[in-house]
Amino acid sequence: MSLVFFSFTGVFLLFALSLKILRSSPWCSCEVCSTYASASWTAEFDNLCDWYAHLLRSSPTRTIHIHILRNTITANPDNVEYMLKTKFDNFPKGKHFSTILGDLLGGGIFNVDGESWRFQRKMASLELGSNSVRSYAARIVASEVRDRLLPLLSSVADSGGVVDLQDVFRRFAFESISKISFGLDPGCLELSVPMTEFSAAFDVASRLSARRATATFTATWKLKRLFNWGSERELRSAIQLVNVLAEEVIRQRRKLGFTENHDLLSRFMGSVNDDKYLRDIVISFLLAGRDTVASGLTSFFFELSKSPRAQAAMLDEINRVMGSSSAEEVASYEQLREMQYVHAALYESMRLYPPVQFDSKFCVEDDVLPDGTFVGKNTRVTYHPYAMGRMDDVWGADCEEFRPERWLRDGVFTSENPFKYPVFQAGLRVCLGKEMALMEMKTVIVSILRSFDINAIHSATPPKFAPGLTASLAAGLLARVRRRSDGSPTINVCTS
């Protein structure tokens, strides 16, 4: 009888899930949906984001619909402002989004709305905005650059070898964020497996979580998760390993004490006793501090290696501001603020290659966007910074060129409307770590350029991105590293 009962239950469950699949995913035979469902866009485009950019450029409103995903995608700045500011309450992250990323991010700040979001944002805002935390972060970054990053690149230069800059920047960013956010050196963690395995698990978890959002039938991945099949089994294993890392971070922080520390986790631990909640906060910090910074630095050197003119301009400015100081000296916060061209070049690289290529919200009630697009209740609405950086009506006919000068007015950096450039989001959910991330990336950029020639080995085709929550190059960024001898750029862009 037990066998019959469980067999009947299983059949009924499969029937119910099949009905849910049919009801939750509208069938559509339009050209866009057919192209998406069949993946025939891959015949012309290497990346989904490039296909979306193509569609958005072709749309008079810069807005498109992927009906089978119930997704409205826009590259219209007016729509972005409407979602992120004017009608903020009608476009939260939403329960559906929280479900997709819930296994990885849990109740972390990037995955929640309401009181939980407000509490975490208030706590993070108070800490990230304080001078003591900013000074603490600047000291950590300077130490990591001086004692670890530059010696590593020196050893590569001395051996005449090639290094994967994306991997280097990920390691650097992970160590930096661990010290800034947790007050811990990763080397002090008592872990049963090498740190490289945790890094790989984090990448797998990011990739497979992001894949859920692209599924035509949402019930498919839910069914696989229920029975622990295929990619969902792989995701569960990766998250279990990520959890081990997060739990060890919390254990070590508690062991060392946290009442008088500057790191962000210590501040949260003073108000939160729930280890599951603290785990979610740790994962969110890692995602924000490792992946986005590494992505921003990788794309920067990818673009800079193709622009000898921009590199020469940056070196002139760096040498002028830094003067006769030794190459090992790390730029101070005040010196970084003087480097207007460096700041412009970093913004320009992120315009073309934002660390987060798109961001989605869910419409609570029926609405109409400023361009006249109707958005139905429970529809996913996505704004697409990657595509926005390629709109000629927003950035001009040279929008696909790397030109830092577009950000300068009489030699001074001039910011743009944040809804035109939502690389750090905008409105009420604007990135709280923006200034810290910019400081970290500029510190790395200036220190590397003063000491080394970085020649990226470019392929003959445009970059191919790996699936994930943040942008990363599928094949990494291989580069030859040479010591700089006379303070002038030696540019030899390699191709293969």
Side-chain angles (χ1 to χ4, degrees), residues 245-302:
L245 174 60
E247 289 162 5
E248 172 63 9
V249 165
I250 295 168
R251 190 186 73 82
Q252 283 288 350
R253 184 67 272 160
R254 190 169 280 131
K255 177 181 176 182
L256 295 173
F258 53 84
T259 56
E260 298 181 359
N261 288 283
H262 292 295
D263 63 275
L264 299 176
L265 181 59
S266 292
R267 308 297 180 103
F268 273 96
M269 292 179 79
S271 304
V272 177
N273 293 319
D274 184 345
D275 277 11
K276 172 64 171 64
Y277 198 13
L278 291 173
R279 173 264 180 207
D280 298 342
I281 291 171
V282 167
I283 300 302
S284 295
F285 284 159
L286 286 175
L287 179 67
R290 187 197 80 142
D291 291 19
T292 56
V293 168
S295 175
L297 287 170
T298 302
S299 61
F300 178 86
F301 281 97
F302 173 82

Side-chain angles (χ1 to χ4, degrees), residues 55-109:
L55 295 176
L56 289 163
R57 278 195 299 266
S58 302
S59 168
T61 61
R62 300 296 185 259
T63 301
I64 61 172
H65 304 280
I66 310 294
H67 305 106
I68 58 175
L69 296 179
R70 288 185 60 83
N71 192 9
T72 296
I73 305 174
T74 187
N76 186 320
D78 293 335
N79 291 346
V80 176
E81 182 173 7
Y82 189 78
M83 293 164 55
L84 301 185
K85 179 182 177 184
T86 309
K87 293 292 289 291
F88 174 80
D89 290 336
N90 200 38
F91 294 93
K93 301 298 292 184
K95 183 179 179 180
H96 183 70
F97 187 91
S98 297
T99 301
I100 290 173
L101 299 181
D103 291 331
L104 176 60
L105 298 182
I109 190 171

Side-chain angles (χ1 to χ4, degrees), residues 400-412:
E400 297 196 54
E401 295 180 18
F402 177 73
R403 192 171 67 81
E405 290 78 9
R406 76 174 76 244
W407 295 91
L408 300 173
R409 304 289 184 274
D410 297 323
V412 177

Side-chain angles (χ1 to χ4, degrees), residues 46 53 70 88 160 178 200 224 286 353 356 401-402 407 432 462 473:
D46 290 327
R70 288 185 60 83
F88 174 80
S178 294
K224 291 168 67 178
L286 286 175
Y353 297 106
V356 179
E401 295 180 18
F402 177 73
W407 295 91
L432 292 173
L473 300 181

Side-chain angles (χ1 to χ4, degrees), residues 460-471:
T461 59
K464 184 174 179 60
F465 298 105
L469 301 177
T470 55

Side-chain angles (χ1 to χ4, degrees), residues 186-369:
C188 78
L189 299 178
E190 299 173 6
L191 297 168
S192 58
V193 299
M195 188 59 68
T196 53
E197 290 192 33
F198 288 101
S199 179
F202 203 89
D203 294 338
V204 169
S206 174
R207 171 172 55 84
L208 295 180
S209 295
R211 183 188 292 180
R212 288 176 171 179
T214 64
T216 305
F217 302 114
T218 58
T220 303
W221 67 261
K222 292 181 180 180
L223 181 63
K224 291 168 67 178
R225 180 177 64 173
L226 177 65
F227 291 101
N228 199 25
W229 289 340
S231 59
E232 287 296 315
R233 183 174 184 174
E234 186 181 2
L235 174 60
R236 182 174 296 180
S237 297
I239 290 176
Q240 286 174 348
L241 200 54
V242 170
N243 287 343
V244 170
L245 174 60
E247 289 162 5
E248 172 63 9
V249 165
I250 295 168
R251 190 186 73 82
Q252 283 288 350
R253 184 67 272 160
R254 190 169 280 131
K255 177 181 176 182
L256 295 173
F258 53 84
T259 56
E260 298 181 359
N261 288 283
H262 292 295
D263 63 275
L264 299 176
L265 181 59
S266 292
R267 308 297 180 103
F268 273 96
M269 292 179 79
S271 304
V272 177
N273 293 319
D274 184 345
D275 277 11
K276 172 64 171 64
Y277 198 13
L278 291 173
R279 173 264 180 207
D280 298 342
I281 291 171
V282 167
I283 300 302
S284 295
F285 284 159
L286 286 175
L287 179 67
R290 187 197 80 142
D291 291 19
T292 56
V293 168
S295 175
L297 287 170
T298 302
S299 61
F300 178 86
F301 281 97
F302 173 82
E303 277 298 320
L304 192 67
S305 66
K306 298 187 295 182
S307 179
R309 175 190 52 77
Q311 188 170 164
M314 288 183 66
L315 277 169
D316 286 344
E317 180 178 72
I318 291 169
N319 290 332
R320 174 178 57 78
V321 172
M322 298 290 289
S324 58
S325 60
S326 66
E328 290 75 23
E329 183 176 335
V330 178
S332 67
Y333 180 74
E334 290 72 21
Q335 288 173 325
L336 291 176
R337 290 188 63 182
E338 290 185 50
M339 299 179 188
Q340 303 291 304
Y341 196 94
V342 171
H343 196 77
L346 179 55
Y347 261 64
E348 179 70 350
S349 70
M350 289 192 293
R351 179 184 69 83
L352 291 169
Y353 297 106
V356 179
Q357 295 179 338
F358 63 90
D359 189 31
S360 295
K361 313 294 182 184
F362 275 83
C363 186
V364 176
E365 299 292 344
D366 291 355
D367 211 331
V368 178
L369 301 179

